[in-house]
Amino acid sequence: MTIDADEISQDAEAALASGTGDRLAAMRHSAAHMMAAAVVELFPEARLGIGPAIKDGFYYDFDLPRPLTPADLEQIEAKMREQQAADLRFEGKESSREDAIARLERENQPFKVEIVNDLPAGETITFYRHGSFEDLCRGGHVESTSELGAFKLLTTAGAYWRGDETRPMLQRIYGTAWDTQEELDQHLWRLEEAKKRDHRKLGRELDLFTFHPESPAAPFLHPRGMAIWRALEEWSRQVRREAGFHEVRTPSLVRKELWETSGHWGNYQDNMFVLDDYDHVSGLKPMNCPEEILIYKTRSHSYRELPMRFADYSTLFRKERTGVLAGMFRVRQLTQDDSHVFCRDDQVDDEIRLALSLVRKQYAPFGFEPRAKLATRPEKRLGSDEFWERAEGRLRERLEEDGMSFTLDEGGGAFYAPKIDIFIEDALGREWQMATIQADYQLPQRFDLEYRAADGGFERPVVIHYAIYGSFERFIGIITEHYTGAFPLWLAPVQVMIVPIADRHLEYAETVRAALADAGLRAEVDERSERMQLKLRDAQEQKIPVMVVVGDRDAEANAVSPRLRSGASSQGVPIAEFIDDLRARVESRELWPFDDGGDTKA
């Protein structure tokens, strides 16, 4: 595995400052130093990169004379335990820039020299020591190695220095540390469970989607995967229709002039696929908003027409670096359930209310309870303090009014306005950032948008942006792992598997399948010449919600004998009653059969 680009860029700047004000982070940062000390003891020629605390653990990057093995990790971990038992204090001391560089050059630590050279003039430079090991570091440690709780080294990976594919490839060691052994054991269980739930593994096993080197970072959706996509899409479209949205579709290839006006050419070009086609340069679109603005601009608008709500399900393209690609979670071709609302400033509050209500509505069938972060003004921003006070206040009031749980993300807003970031938690307790709700005052200005106001003059609209699933690809990856591939009935790619007891029941089985299909239900017949129990076991392994056994009695009575994935079963259910029950469950988008409550009718 290779790590680069975004992951490094997010961690590199915090590498010397991790752990400040947070005991668990300080403990993990200290563990990274202890790991580096152990590595240097085993490999004296090691050159050190960075070693920050990260979510749930820590890592350190090394330039080593050979690839690390599992046996090496065991040795490193053992030496860390020796340090833990030795109760070594973490002690810091300041250094001048000149002395720091001279020392690091003498010790043949070029990556540390680069870090020092990149520090702002006048910044205090410190080294932290425990035992005989000393490392360039801003601090944020526990007092002693004995305060390190329960820990374990997990794995190694390749990592480009500073996320630059042209720089040296280092070896990264990942570890995790917790206050207690019980917390460590729980975390290790979650990691093992995550492996079982890996959407890439389940995607292949359940015949949902695959990835191929002929089109890297773009999923190939199989018929069953496409069935999930369409179910998600149908629900998203229903939510938008009922909220007064009108669907639009915009081109994928757009000349650079549009991206220059929007600001993407100057700020996002590295993430765009650019084509130079004779007399003009174009880019495959990474987002929809500038093109929907062109739709708005095709004619003049009155204040009476606003708000105008557009939904766009066009395909987007983002030139992601190889090292950050992760199955469906990070792809180069994606589709969002995108929403753009053009409204008057006095309508912004109502549109934020609507957005929050649609987030709740669209997530409800999945069992997700959204929570939010209010991202406030960054250090570099446009607009006056009065604007930011008012904008942040409006978003805070809408969140409080909605009752959605939220925290503050100080300084996390966009440069042009604050935003609401929506999060969900999956079955393993992992948090995922989903929708971002933004009130945009800048793009309307850059594109000189306007509408005729009630007094006959012209005013500028506000654009509200949000996509509730985010991308379909990422959302499918998330729910595949959340449900471990055992989707609720309304989402399941095959909702009913019909199992004839013998070959003579094939004709009736096909009659049942056709009746289910006519009712809009996804059903298949297992026509293989295998034993019934094997067919049922295979259907169970494919995580199909309902299995229907048909035999002589069923055919004579025009009935079915359903068995649920949960294990419940019943006999001789009239086919019309069975279909009506399934249709009602699908239309209500309930989580059944997870909470079947003992109901075995269907």
Side-chain angles (χ1 to χ4, degrees):
M1 178 173 63
T2 300
I3 309 293
D4 72 355
D6 287 358
E7 180 175 356
I8 297 276
S9 65
Q10 291 167 6
D11 292 326
E13 292 304 318
L16 299 177
S18 58
T20 53
D22 180 357
R23 182 183 175 281
L24 192 57
M27 184 173 71
R28 290 167 176 165
H29 184 203
S30 301
H33 277 237
M34 293 164 66
M35 180 170 69
V39 169
V40 169
E41 184 177 349
L42 291 169
F43 302 94
E45 65 273 53
R47 298 194 295 179
L48 306 179
I50 59 174
I54 56 175
K55 178 177 171 57
D56 295 336
F58 57 92
Y59 70 76
Y60 211 114
D61 293 339
F62 305 95
D63 183 11
L64 298 172
R66 64 169 174 81
L68 292 167
T69 67
D72 291 325
L73 290 191
E74 292 178 8
Q75 283 189 282
I76 295 166
E77 191 173 302
K79 290 193 174 295
M80 291 174 66
R81 297 193 189 284
E82 292 175 6
Q83 297 172 52
Q84 184 180 31
D87 190 21
L88 305 172
R89 292 186 61 80
F90 284 93
E91 298 176 321
K93 67 176 182 180
E94 294 185 5
S95 171
S96 68
R97 183 182 296 264
E98 294 75 17
D99 287 348
I101 291 174
R103 170 186 175 168
L104 293 168
E105 287 178 341
R106 187 169 61 250
E107 295 173 354
N108 191 27
Q109 295 295 340
F111 304 115
K112 298 291 187 182
V113 171
E114 183 176 323
I115 290 173
V116 173
N117 282 326
D118 288 347
L119 292 175
E123 178 152 348
T124 302
I125 296 171
T126 53
F127 287 81
Y128 271 77
R129 170 186 290 273
H130 72 283
S132 61
F133 179 77
E134 196 164 10
D135 196 6
L136 177 71
C137 176
R138 280 183 181 158
H141 291 284
V142 293
E143 289 189 7
S144 165
T145 57
S146 64
E147 294 183 33
L148 181 61
F151 67 93
K152 185 173 181 58
L153 301 188
L154 300 174
T155 187
T156 61
Y160 292 110
W161 173 238
R162 293 197 159 176
D164 186 340
E165 295 171 351
T166 67
R167 306 296 301 277
M169 171 72 79
L170 308 181
Q171 294 188 68
R172 174 174 296 181
I173 304 177
Y174 282 102
T176 186
W178 299 82
D179 279 323
T180 66
Q181 185 65 41
E182 182 181 359
E183 290 174 310
L184 173 62
D185 290 342
Q186 182 67 17
H187 178 67
L188 296 177
W189 173 84
R190 286 196 299 268
L191 292 179
E192 285 302 312
E193 187 66 19
K195 290 180 184 177
K196 297 176 188 176
R197 294 170 180 254
D198 189 321
H199 69 280
R200 292 162 291 195
K201 171 177 172 285
L202 290 171
R204 291 190 305 271
E205 293 175 351
L206 301 179
D207 198 23
L208 304 177
F209 48 79
T210 51
F211 289 84
H212 299 275
E214 290 80 1
S215 184
F220 287 69
L221 286 167
H222 298 202
R224 290 186 176 185
M226 199 64 208
I228 297 173
W229 182 295
R230 290 303 185 204
L232 292 172
E233 189 176 56
E234 180 183 339
W235 174 230
S236 172
R237 283 190 159 106
Q238 179 179 329
V239 168
R240 299 302 191 286
R241 280 196 306 272
E242 292 174 355
F245 280 77
H246 297 280
E247 190 172 338
V248 299
R249 189 164 185 84
T250 49
S252 295
L253 190 63
V254 187
R255 290 188 176 187
K256 75 171 185 178
E257 287 78 7
L258 179 72
W259 306 115
E260 287 174 332
T261 303
S262 69
H264 290 98
W265 197 258
N267 296 295
Y268 202 77
Q269 185 182 347
D270 288 346
N271 293 91
M272 295 175 64
F273 291 99
V274 177
L275 290 82
D276 192 345
D277 186 16
Y278 300 108
D279 62 337
H280 62 267
V281 176
S282 299
L284 288 171
K285 65 175 179 179
M287 55 267 303
N288 293 309
C289 32
E291 293 175 286
E292 294 186 20
I293 284 175
L294 292 185
I295 294 177
Y296 180 90
K297 283 177 66 78
T298 54
R299 63 180 179 84
S300 59
H301 300 280
S302 161
Y303 73 98
R304 297 179 185 275
E305 297 177 70
L306 304 184
M308 292 178 60
R309 304 186 183 112
F310 292 155
D312 193 340
Y313 295 84
S314 305
T315 302
L316 306 176
F317 302 87
R318 294 179 183 173
K319 192 177 179 181
E320 303 283 7
R321 293 185 181 227
T322 302
V324 300
L325 301 173
M328 300 284 271
F329 293 153
R330 199 72 171 265
V331 294
R332 289 175 175 156
Q333 176 179 306
L334 63 144
T335 303
Q336 293 182 330
D337 59 333
D338 222 351
S339 305
H340 290 93
V341 180
F342 298 82
C343 64
R344 306 189 305 265
D345 188 61
D346 65 294
Q347 295 172 324
V348 167
D349 290 347
D350 284 341
E351 291 307 312
I352 298 296
R353 289 188 186 98
L354 176 64
L356 291 171
S357 71
L358 296 188
V359 165
R360 286 189 179 279
K361 180 177 181 178
Q362 193 162 314
Y363 288 162
F366 306 96
F368 293 139
E369 181 62 34
R371 69 173 195 82
K373 285 186 180 180
L374 173 56
T376 61
R377 70 196 76 180
E379 185 175 340
K380 294 182 179 180
R381 58 185 181 269
L382 298 177
S384 65
D385 287 343
E386 290 77 15
F387 161 77
W388 283 90
E389 289 286 350
R390 180 166 177 263
E392 290 170 5
R394 293 172 80 171
L395 295 186
R396 181 192 292 272
E397 289 169 5
R398 301 293 72 73
L399 285 166
E400 290 172 345
E401 180 182 77
D402 179 89
M404 186 177 293
S405 172
F406 75 95
T407 56
L408 287 181
D409 177 12
E410 297 282 2
F415 68 91
Y416 52 83
K419 59 192 174 89
I420 296 172
D421 292 325
I422 303 294
F423 295 80
I424 60 171
E425 187 176 286
D426 70 9
L428 292 183
R430 297 174 299 185
E431 186 177 73
W432 301 91
Q433 181 177 341
M434 307 302 292
T436 292
I437 303 171
Q438 294 181 315
D440 182 358
Y441 293 82
Q442 294 304 310
L443 281 182
Q445 181 173 321
R446 294 181 74 102
F447 282 93
D448 194 26
L449 302 188
E450 61 183 20
Y451 64 88
R452 187 170 290 279
D455 62 4
F458 290 93
E459 294 187 8
R460 205 173 297 287
V462 181
V463 178
I464 312 292
H465 310 245
Y466 54 98
I468 298 177
Y469 289 145
S471 78
F472 281 84
E473 291 83 358
R474 181 169 177 266
F475 194 76
I476 288 173
I478 290 170
I479 61 175
T480 298
E481 296 194 1
H482 175 68
Y483 296 124
T484 326
F487 298 98
L489 180 71
W490 74 276
L491 267 180
V494 178
Q495 295 164 322
V496 182
M497 179 61 76
I498 304 162
V499 179
I501 294 175
D503 286 350
R504 67 178 182 275
H505 304 122
L506 281 170
E507 183 177 350
Y508 180 64
E510 177 56 31
T511 300
V512 173
R513 188 208 63 77
L516 289 164
D518 287 345
L521 297 165
R522 299 183 289 276
E524 294 181 4
V525 177
D526 190 335
E527 299 177 338
R528 297 176 299 163
S529 297
E530 300 286 355
R531 292 180 297 108
M532 179 189 73
Q533 292 303 325
L534 176 64
K535 294 181 180 181
L536 289 173
R537 186 166 66 248
D538 288 349
Q540 189 81 27
E541 289 178 354
Q542 293 171 42
K543 306 179 187 292
I544 293 170
V546 183
M547 293 148 275
V548 167
V549 178
V550 293
D552 292 333
R553 292 181 181 178
D554 297 300
E556 290 169 4
N558 199 32
V560 293
S561 297
R563 301 187 182 199
L564 301 186
R565 183 174 59 207
S566 60
S569 64
S570 56
Q571 303 289 323
V573 178
I575 190 168
E577 181 180 338
F578 173 71
I579 289 174
D580 286 346
D581 185 45
L582 287 187
R583 284 187 63 183
R585 294 181 186 277
V586 169
E587 289 171 2
S588 66
R589 293 183 174 85
E590 57 185 272
L591 283 171
W592 189 87
F594 290 101
D595 54 349
D596 62 276
D599 179 6
T600 60
K601 180 169 60 176

